[in-house]
Amino acid sequence: MLTAALVGAIGLLPWLSRTDPALTVLKARSADRDPTPETLRAIRVELGLDDGPWVLLGRWLGGLLHGDAGSSWVSGAPVLPGAVQALGVSLLLMCGALVVAAATTAAVCAPTLRLGARGRLGARRPGGTATAVLASLPEFLVASVLASVIAVQLGWLPALGWYGPQWMVLPSLALGLPAGAVLGRMLDDLLPGAFAEPWAMAAAARGLPPRSLARQAVRRCVPGLLPNLGLFVVGLTGGSVAVEQIFDIPGLGRLTLHAALAQDLPVLQTGTLALVLLAAAAGLLARIAARLLIGPALRDGALQSLHRPRPPAPRTLPLLYGGLLAAVIGAGLPRDPLALDTLARLQAPSAEHPFGTDALGRDVLARISHGAVTTLGTALAVSATALVAGLLLGLLPRLSGPLADTLSAVPPVLAGLLVTGIAGSGPWTPALAVAVVAWSPLAAHTSSLLLQERATTHLVATRALGAGRWYLLRRELLPAVVPPVARHALLRLPGVALSLAALGFLGLGAQPPSPEWGLLLAENQPYAERAPWAVLFPAAALALLGALAVTAAGGVRLPRRRTRSAGPAVPPLDQGVPPPRRHAERPDDLLAPVSASQTDER
């Protein structure tokens, strides 16, 4: 049903956007050709546009049942062979990116694994700054730097095309490094709980080698990450549009983007259907693998909770990063972000322009500062909305699982086009488009953690003492699930800011000369070699935001609930006064702490 609704919405895209599909197809075919009424009428007759969207959709579905996805409205070539070839390219690129992501995840978690396997987690220093910077860098910026430095200046690897294994290296690095940083932070968040479980202590006491202990700890934590890994697979396949554009890779994401902009419905519907099927397969395999890795413990309720109370996190780093970001924003607010000076184009940093100028002579510091107000405010609102929606829908996995799998297959550009067609273009259109898909990884994370937390021994014991569903949810499940999901949401905050700006750059939101950070990066990217400061300083501000989000996420925890006092001392038993009765229908009383004096008297 969800797939049918999505494909149907795509079929209505030209009519929802209130544009003439014949005019859009004509511009995609030949931008120089005049859109005369005769020409547009000929295109409508050729494509059958006058029959209406439902007739066109029915023809496409009828042909798809016979192995024919129709012909492209722009090129006239058969759709299915080109879509299959593009899917193969994207899957190969996805495999290379997953290898890079796995290596990055291992590097991020290596200190925790080394200390935990030797029982020295107390000496673990809170960090994650480098990981936060890497996770917050946009993929197109990493791809541009790799292409200009490694391919162009050093000449070590090819920069453009898709002709062999050498052409895979740089795109895989551009996609895999940020994804591996995010997965590494999520895994590093779970590892201390695994090393504190009884099996780990018993294995260490019996002399199990540290390498084996570390391997089993990873195996214990991986099931909680597998649903998000499935979403990453789909995102690396269909969402790698910018990387495929920079490296000129004929992948499915690039094919879908061009079809969406040209309103080439047969290509767009076929590409989206392929992504949805891939998302369904990845989600199903992830859930099966998670249950196989956990084994009978999930069925028998024999797991230990990975989310234990944490010591207070140090506040030095968040205050330092927050102070630096506030100082940068405050220093640039008095400056004019729109003032043009053609005689000061692409000037290096100086006393007059501390961050230099861009291609139009505008002050980069002023644009960063004024862009922070809209960029950070909208990103925080979207992240908070996605967190609430992810937590609520994650509590209903049977509903949110298929929905998350379907929405994760929609590239952000296509989501923006659909939202624009339905809600119209406006300042909140990018925020709505990003919020539509931003909750899915948080819901998947919530569902996977909730599945394991329900199978823990303390929860089984609490339920056996008479605790109801509301008590278990409020006192046991939510305190264990909310903090890691909130840290995950903070980790994705820079990515949300970039997605918003990327949609604005494509004409679906804020337009130039708006000083949004993503627009600054996109506008100054062509001048990266001549004026690197025009790209470096906006990227540094974004990296500073990522470092602030990750280090502040270490302190996310629910407030400790106050323990109920034991009440007045119970009279001695030899006075003939019976002890107070405990009612089984009140789990709060059963689970309240009992003082040592009461235990001795009983």
Side-chain angles (χ1 to χ4, degrees):
M1 292 175 60
L2 292 172
T3 303
L6 179 60
V7 173
I10 293 173
L12 295 172
L13 182 60
W15 289 268
L16 290 175
S17 59
R18 302 173 184 87
T19 59
D20 187 359
L23 179 60
T24 307
V25 172
L26 177 63
K27 291 181 178 180
R29 289 180 177 180
S30 177
D32 299 331
R33 193 173 177 182
D34 294 332
T36 60
E38 294 77 10
T39 305
L40 296 179
R41 190 180 306 110
I43 293 178
R44 291 192 188 95
V45 173
E46 176 189 353
L47 303 179
L49 297 176
D50 294 335
D51 296 334
W54 299 113
V55 176
L56 293 176
L57 181 61
R59 291 175 184 171
W60 178 78
L61 290 175
L64 192 64
L65 296 176
H66 298 87
D68 181 15
S71 300
S72 171
W73 286 2
V74 176
S75 64
V79 172
L80 197 57
V84 171
Q85 183 178 1
L87 178 61
V89 171
S90 294
L91 290 178
L92 188 59
L93 178 60
M94 177 265 293
C95 292
L98 286 181
V99 172
V100 176
T104 307
T105 302
V108 171
C109 300
T112 303
L113 288 173
R114 183 175 63 254
L115 295 175
R118 290 170 172 78
R120 297 168 52 194
L121 275 180
R124 179 188 179 213
R125 295 182 179 180
T129 302
T131 308
V133 171
L134 189 58
S136 60
L137 290 179
E139 296 172 349
F140 69 86
L141 179 61
V142 177
S144 300
V145 171
L146 292 177
S148 60
V149 175
I150 297 180
V152 177
Q153 296 182 3
L154 299 178
W156 290 350
L157 291 168
L160 299 176
W162 188 260
Y163 305 104
Q166 294 181 350
W167 281 263
M168 275 187 58
V169 178
L170 294 182
S172 299
L173 288 173
L175 289 172
L177 288 176
V182 175
L183 289 175
R185 287 294 305 179
M186 295 174 62
L187 180 59
D188 194 68
D189 190 43
L190 297 175
L191 284 173
F195 283 118
E197 289 185 343
W199 68 264
M201 300 179 182
R206 297 195 62 178
L208 191 72
R211 181 175 299 180
S212 300
L213 187 60
R215 185 171 62 251
Q216 294 302 323
V218 171
R219 184 181 183 276
R220 172 68 180 89
C221 299
V222 162
L225 301 180
L226 282 176
N228 270 278
L229 183 60
L231 298 181
F232 269 105
V233 167
V234 181
L236 292 175
T237 305
S240 56
V241 179
V243 175
E244 292 179 356
Q245 286 279 80
I246 291 173
F247 291 103
D248 195 21
I249 299 174
L252 189 60
R254 185 183 178 192
L255 180 70
T256 307
L257 171 64
H258 290 173
L261 296 179
Q263 295 187 358
D264 191 353
L265 293 188
V267 178
L268 182 58
Q269 290 169 335
T270 305
T272 305
L273 183 60
L275 289 175
V276 170
L277 294 178
L278 177 64
L284 180 61
L285 291 177
R287 294 182 181 90
I288 293 176
R291 291 182 178 273
L292 291 178
L293 285 174
I294 297 176
L298 187 64
R299 182 190 66 244
D300 299 336
L303 292 176
Q304 297 289 326
S305 178
L306 291 175
H307 307 283
R308 301 171 182 271
R310 291 183 165 207
R315 302 178 180 179
T316 306
L317 288 179
L319 291 177
L320 175 62
Y321 297 139
L324 288 176
L325 189 59
V328 170
I329 295 174
L333 285 178
R335 300 170 178 263
D336 187 1
L338 303 179
L340 301 178
D341 187 1
T342 56
L343 299 179
R345 295 176 63 251
L346 300 177
Q347 282 191 355
S350 60
E352 184 179 1
H353 303 287
F355 286 2
T357 61
D358 62 4
L360 298 178
R362 296 172 297 190
D363 189 80
V364 176
L365 175 59
R367 294 184 64 75
I368 291 176
S369 300
H370 286 266
V373 178
T374 56
T375 301
L376 298 184
T378 309
L380 285 173
V382 172
S383 298
T385 304
L387 175 60
V388 174
L391 286 172
L392 294 178
L393 292 174
L395 298 177
L396 305 170
R398 293 184 179 180
L399 171 66
S400 64
L403 188 60
D405 291 342
T406 304
L407 291 180
S408 65
V410 181
V413 176
L414 180 57
L417 290 174
L418 290 174
V419 172
T420 303
I422 296 174
S425 179
W428 287 100
T429 298
L432 183 59
V434 174
V436 165
V437 297
W439 63 267
S440 56
L442 302 178
H445 195 190
T446 301
S447 298
S448 62
L449 296 180
L450 196 66
L451 180 66
Q452 297 190 51
E453 199 67 26
R454 283 173 173 169
T456 54
T457 53
H458 77 276
L459 200 74
V460 175
T462 307
R463 189 183 297 112
L465 290 174
R469 292 183 176 181
W470 173 245
Y471 177 88
L472 294 175
L473 179 65
R474 181 169 52 93
R475 292 296 186 91
E476 302 295 339
L477 294 177
L478 287 181
V481 171
V482 170
V485 177
R487 292 192 288 270
H488 184 189
L490 281 174
L491 188 62
R492 290 184 175 270
L493 177 62
V496 170
L498 272 175
S499 300
L500 292 169
L503 290 176
F505 179 72
L506 292 173
L508 303 177
Q511 299 293 317
S514 174
E516 281 189 329
W517 288 359
L519 287 177
L520 297 183
L521 290 171
E523 290 173 349
N524 297 320
Q525 181 186 347
Y527 310 99
E529 296 185 9
R530 180 181 174 186
W533 54 85
V535 176
L536 178 62
F537 285 111
L542 190 65
L544 194 60
L545 172 63
L548 172 62
V550 172
T551 52
V556 174
R557 57 178 56 84
L558 292 182
R560 295 181 179 179
R561 59 179 182 269
R562 296 180 180 178
T563 56
R564 185 176 300 177
S565 59
V570 181
L573 296 180
D574 55 7
Q575 295 182 3
V577 181
R581 296 179 61 186
R582 297 280 178 174
H583 298 281
E585 63 272 9
R586 298 187 61 187
D588 289 359
D589 293 339
L590 287 172
L591 301 175
V594 182
S595 63
S597 60
Q598 289 177 330
T599 305
D600 295 340
E601 291 166 357
R602 292 180 184 179

